[in-house]
Amino acid sequence: MARIELPDGNDTEQTRMWQLAPELYQAAGNFTRTMYAGALSVRERELARMRIAEINACPI
């Protein structure tokens, strides 16, 4: 459940959240495509995800 006010609609919360900042959605999409297109190997990408989780005290 979102903790911010989202636009009304039948779309998912995530879709409605991105409607609040479409330019950020485009930038995040470009970043994701770049990372999965080969900027990092699968091992490097997973290591980065694990480190980010560790820094944020999230269970890995």
Side-chain angles (χ1 to χ4, degrees), residues 17-46:
M17 184 244 347
W18 284 118
Q19 291 172 0
L20 297 172
E23 63 284 349
L24 185 58
Y25 172 71
Q26 185 176 11
N30 289 340
F31 175 77
T32 300
R33 280 188 294 281
T34 300
M35 289 299 103
Y36 282 90
L40 296 176
S41 72
V42 173
R43 289 176 60 119
E44 291 168 326
R45 190 170 54 240
E46 288 305 308

